[in-house]
């Protein structure tokens, strides 16, 4: 197989392929109207993409008076994609087709024993087993994408020096080079928020928005920005820097080395919520939390969700306060970036009422909200957003 960025050589053909992908199913007339191409040029491009098996004909649309129009879709079986998420809590490998439909999955716990070398060895083994189970040859894999905790050197494919990894050895990991040698397929690296945003962008048919903001609220806060259909990169990898936005100048001291007092992440994160719940356990102010754990340090996020579901007053208050702080930070980002759509992912947005409260507060504090109607959506990919988005990172090379 050609390198994925060389499969479609003609820039106009790349645009047509991408337009078909975004529509899901589309007629030749719609492609003609949107592309501005002549009928002869469009016909030639469609014939080329059909002969490459990148596109398939899927029947006919409704007639508007003449012949019924041929309908086109991208070919989900043209090739296959591997995607790897590397976070502080787990690593996840997925196999998808070209429509990002899940064909296989394996998850590792990022414990003290999972060094980079052990993960790569296991990934090689599990990847081959996954392909075999799906009856896919390794030669049909277009590449492996990786969405990892930063900081990263994306171009060189190096995980630099991520903080708070349980295992040793996760500094200066040349993961692109090493996995390309093991698997024999191209490997692409980006931070997890960027891959998640790419996944949402490619997975949703008829998602025509070009200006997107993605926020993941979990152990920390991570964000990604898309402008005019392209990921926005700074001079350094800054995936987690959004959490250091100051929302209270006289706020709590920094929770990480080099962090800011009053930082957004100090008010909105699973880590912060667990700390608040443990303090409530020590004070004896929540009978639900006391019943769920024998001591304060045993409390984890899953226990807090259980207490919230039981309508524990302490947890209702803590989640509500956190959702309000989340909405304030979102409003700051919206007022600066003016996205068409804000996609919200991560475990906090799955908690009862958190999404609704955070988005309500954000809208209330959005400037020109009468004229500027930002759209909020939950992540459609859920817990697989980063890994599936890592597959989309490979797919994105096709039209870049």
């Amino acid at each position: 197989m050609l390198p994925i960025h060389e499969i479609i050589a003609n820039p106009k053909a790349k645009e047509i392929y991408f337009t078909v992908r975004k529509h899901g199913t589309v007629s030749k007339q719609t492609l003609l109207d949107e592309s501005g191409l002549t009928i002869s040029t469009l016909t030639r491009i469609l014939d080329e993409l059909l002969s490459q098996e990148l596109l398939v004909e899927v029947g006919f649309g409704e007639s508007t008076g003449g012949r019924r129009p041929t309908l086109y879709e991208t070919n989900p079986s043209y090739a296959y994609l591997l995607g790897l998420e590397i976070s502080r809590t787990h690593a996840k490998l997925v196999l998808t087709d070209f429509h990002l439909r899940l064909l296989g999955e394996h998850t590792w716990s990022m414990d003290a024993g999972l060094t980079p070398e052990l993960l790569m060895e296991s990934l090689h083994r599990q990847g081959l087993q996954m392909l075999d189970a799906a009856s896919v040859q390794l030669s049909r894999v277009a590449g492996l994408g990786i969405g990892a905790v930063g900081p990263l050197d994306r171009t060189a494919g190096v995980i630099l020096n991520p903080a708070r990894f349980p295992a040793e050895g996760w500094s200066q990991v040349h993961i692109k080079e090493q996995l390309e040698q093991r698997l024999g397929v191209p490997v692409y690296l980006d931070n997890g928020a960027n891959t998640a945003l790419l996944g949402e962008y490619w997975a949703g048919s008829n998602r025509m928005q070009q200006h997107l903001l993605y926020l993941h609220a979990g152990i920390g806060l991570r964000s990604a920005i898309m402008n005019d259909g392209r990921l926005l990169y700074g001079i350094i990898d800054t995936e987690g820097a959004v959490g250091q936005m100051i929302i209270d100048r006289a706020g709590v001291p920094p929770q990480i080395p080099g962090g800011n007092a009053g930082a957004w992440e100090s008010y909105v994160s699973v880590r912060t919520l667990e700390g608040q719940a443990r303090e409530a356990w020590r004070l004896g102010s929540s009978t639900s939390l006391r019943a769920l754990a024998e001591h304060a340090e045993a409390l984890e996020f899953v226990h807090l969700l259980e207490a919230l579901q039981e309508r524990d007053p302490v947890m209702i208050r803590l989640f509500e306060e956190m959702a309000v702080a989340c909405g304030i930070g979102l409003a700051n980002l919206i007022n600066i970036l003016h996205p068409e759509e804000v996609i919200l992912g991560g475990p906090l947005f799955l908690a009862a009422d958190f999404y609704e409260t955070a988005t309500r507060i954000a809208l209330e504090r959005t400037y020109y909200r009468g004229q500027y109607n930002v759209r909020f959506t939950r992540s459609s990919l859920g817990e697989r957003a980063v890994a599936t988005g890592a597959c989309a990172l490979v797919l994105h090379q096709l039209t870049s």
Side-chain angles (χ1 to χ4, degrees):
M1 180 182 295
L2 283 171
I4 190 166
H5 63 278
E6 296 179 7
I7 290 173
I8 306 177
N10 183 344
K12 289 296 183 183
K14 290 178 185 280
E15 293 177 12
I16 293 300
Y17 179 90
F18 185 74
T19 301
V20 176
R21 180 71 179 87
K22 294 311 293 178
H23 277 283
T25 304
V26 65
S27 69
K28 189 173 185 178
Q29 186 59 52
T30 298
L31 293 172
L32 194 64
D33 294 341
E34 293 188 5
S35 68
L37 298 174
T38 64
I39 185 67
S40 60
T41 299
L42 177 61
T43 299
R44 176 176 53 79
I45 289 173
L46 288 173
D47 287 344
E48 289 175 359
L49 294 174
L50 286 167
S51 67
Q52 290 179 273
E53 300 185 353
L54 284 159
L55 297 185
V56 291
E57 295 178 350
V58 291
F60 299 94
E62 295 296 322
S63 172
T64 57
R67 289 194 311 173
R68 295 173 65 194
T70 302
L71 299 177
Y72 300 91
E73 291 181 0
T74 56
N75 181 6
S77 301
Y78 174 80
Y80 297 87
L81 306 159
L82 288 167
L84 174 66
E85 175 187 5
I86 300 176
S87 78
R88 295 184 179 92
T89 59
H90 67 273
K92 184 186 294 290
L93 178 69
V94 299
L95 171 68
T96 74
D97 64 14
F98 249 39
H99 283 182
L100 301 180
R101 291 186 293 218
L102 185 70
L103 302 176
E105 177 180 18
H106 185 82
T107 303
W108 297 265
S109 175
M110 289 290 281
D111 55 30
L114 195 64
T115 63
E117 184 65 25
L118 285 178
L119 176 61
M120 287 187 280
E121 286 178 6
S122 183
L123 181 148
H124 187 196
R125 190 166 55 251
Q126 290 293 336
L128 294 178
Q129 291 177 9
M130 204 177 286
L131 290 168
D132 185 60
S135 299
V136 174
Q137 297 293 318
L138 182 58
S139 60
R140 301 288 310 284
V141 174
L144 165 69
I146 304 172
V149 172
L152 312 170
D153 183 332
R154 293 183 302 108
T155 304
V158 180
I159 297 175
L160 297 175
N161 55 340
R164 302 190 301 277
F165 267 39
E168 298 292 331
W170 281 99
S171 179
Q172 302 297 318
V173 180
H174 291 254
I175 196 164
K176 170 181 167 67
E177 177 185 354
Q178 293 182 53
L179 284 176
E180 283 181 340
Q181 290 174 356
R182 290 174 186 269
L183 294 172
V185 302
V187 174
Y188 303 89
L189 175 68
D190 208 329
N191 71 53
N194 283 341
T195 64
L197 178 51
L198 279 177
E200 299 289 342
Y201 187 57
W202 277 90
S205 60
N206 281 319
R207 184 189 290 284
M208 296 303 168
Q209 293 83 2
Q210 298 290 303
H211 304 276
L212 304 173
L213 168 65
Y214 174 83
L215 179 72
H216 181 279
I219 289 179
L221 293 172
R222 299 183 288 171
S223 68
I225 304 163
M226 183 173 283
N227 183 47
D228 198 23
R230 294 181 175 86
L231 287 174
L232 184 63
Y233 292 102
I235 194 169
I236 59 171
D237 180 67
T238 56
E239 173 195 35
V242 68
Q244 292 305 307
M245 175 172 57
I246 299 168
I247 64 169
D248 184 356
R249 184 169 63 92
V252 299
Q255 297 188 353
I256 61 172
N260 292 321
W264 192 21
E265 190 172 286
S266 297
Y267 297 85
V268 185
S269 71
V270 168
R271 186 187 301 109
T272 295
L273 194 63
E274 287 176 339
Q276 292 171 335
R278 288 164 186 162
E279 182 62 19
W281 191 100
R282 295 185 192 99
L283 294 173
S285 55
S286 168
T287 55
S288 295
L289 293 177
R290 281 288 181 103
L292 290 168
E294 293 184 358
H295 54 88
E297 298 308 314
L299 280 174
E300 296 181 351
F301 186 64
V302 64
H303 300 126
L304 314 192
L305 292 177
E306 188 174 342
L308 181 66
Q309 190 173 9
E310 294 173 359
R311 307 305 294 168
D312 176 74
V314 171
M315 291 317 304
I316 290 174
R317 175 178 60 81
L318 291 177
F319 271 96
E320 171 78 11
E321 290 173 353
M322 187 164 286
V324 170
C326 183
I328 291 170
L330 274 173
N332 290 339
L333 293 175
I334 292 166
N335 288 330
I336 295 168
L337 300 171
H338 304 108
E340 296 173 87
E341 181 176 348
V342 179
I343 303 169
L344 302 172
L348 282 175
F349 289 114
L350 300 178
D353 300 327
F354 192 97
Y355 173 91
E356 290 75 12
T357 300
T359 53
R360 174 178 57 81
I361 295 296
L363 285 173
E364 288 174 358
R365 288 160 173 75
T366 297
Y367 198 51
Y368 283 125
R369 58 183 174 272
Q371 297 80 33
Y372 168 51
N373 296 312
V374 64
R375 174 187 177 192
F376 291 96
T377 56
R378 279 192 176 97
S379 166
S380 63
L381 298 174
E383 64 179 12
R384 298 188 183 94
V386 174
T388 305
C391 293
L393 176 63
V394 183
L395 185 58
H396 197 62
Q397 313 305 312
L398 190 65
T399 57
S400 298

